[in-house]
Amino acid sequence: MRICNCNITDAELEVMNILWEKDSTTSREVSSILEKKKGWKNTTVKTLLSRLVEKEFLETEKISNYFVYSPIVSQESTLEYLTRNFNSNICSKSVGDVIFQLIADNDLSSKDIAKLEKLLEEKAPNDNIQCNCIPEDH
């Protein structure tokens, strides 16, 4: 799969989440899911699918009378890109609070918790974090 190096909207990400879960599917199935979940019309979903093909997040193949869409950008690389982009907009002194809030607000599997515990055990603390919001020469 290709590595993500472009922006993706929240709506496009909704579509990609379905494709990553399904691996490949038709526009009809994506539309059905998003109509139930978000109330989106078929034309909206088809527009988003077309954009994602244009941006090279998805590839499409015509099988019989249907177009089947498959992701060509991995979920992992997209999440890495989005996380780095999000992280660049957070004050370095607030990163711990953001991580705390993410953990508090979301369900985690036993595997997730074990990975987090291991990472925290290995992570060296830094009690002198400098703010990255204002350049030092100000």
Side-chain angles (χ1 to χ4, degrees):
M1 284 199 170
R2 210 170 64 74
I3 294 176
C4 177
N5 63 358
C6 56
N7 288 325
I8 185 169
T9 67
D10 290 345
E12 291 166 346
L13 193 55
E14 285 283 345
V15 173
M16 286 304 297
N17 283 329
I18 293 166
L19 270 295
W20 286 319
E21 184 64 29
K22 295 281 188 184
D23 194 40
S24 66
T25 192
T26 63
S27 63
R28 179 179 287 175
E29 185 172 13
V30 175
S31 289
S32 172
I33 292 167
L34 288 171
E35 183 180 359
K36 288 176 189 164
K37 183 179 179 185
K38 298 282 193 178
W40 293 355
K41 301 292 180 209
N42 186 44
T43 52
T44 301
V45 174
K46 285 187 175 185
T47 298
L48 292 168
L49 287 166
S50 294
R51 272 198 238 155
L52 288 163
V53 168
E54 241 176 65
K55 290 182 172 186
E56 298 180 339
F57 274 84
L58 298 175
E59 62 186 359
T60 185
E61 179 182 4
K62 188 169 183 170
I63 299 176
S64 191
N65 291 334
Y66 299 97
F67 284 100
V68 176
Y69 294 86
S70 303
I72 53 177
V73 172
S74 74
Q75 185 175 24
E76 293 77 20
S77 70
T78 304
L79 291 177
E80 183 179 329
Y81 172 85
L82 292 172
T83 302
R84 285 195 175 142
N85 188 43
F86 174 74
N87 197 32
S88 69
N89 293 309
I90 297 173
C91 177
S92 54
K93 289 183 166 186
S94 301
V95 170
D97 292 331
V98 172
I99 294 168
F100 178 84
Q101 198 62 51
L102 284 169
I103 292 170
D105 289 350
N106 293 280
D107 292 332
L108 299 171
S109 68
S110 298
K111 184 179 175 183
D112 292 334
I113 291 171
K115 284 170 44 178
L116 286 167
E117 287 173 338
K118 184 177 187 313
L119 181 63
L120 286 171
E121 285 173 13
E122 296 171 356
K123 188 78 174 171
N126 177 358
D127 293 327
N128 294 309
I129 297 171
Q130 300 299 310
C131 176
N132 62 341
C133 301
I134 303 171
E136 287 183 33
D137 61 345
H138 260 105

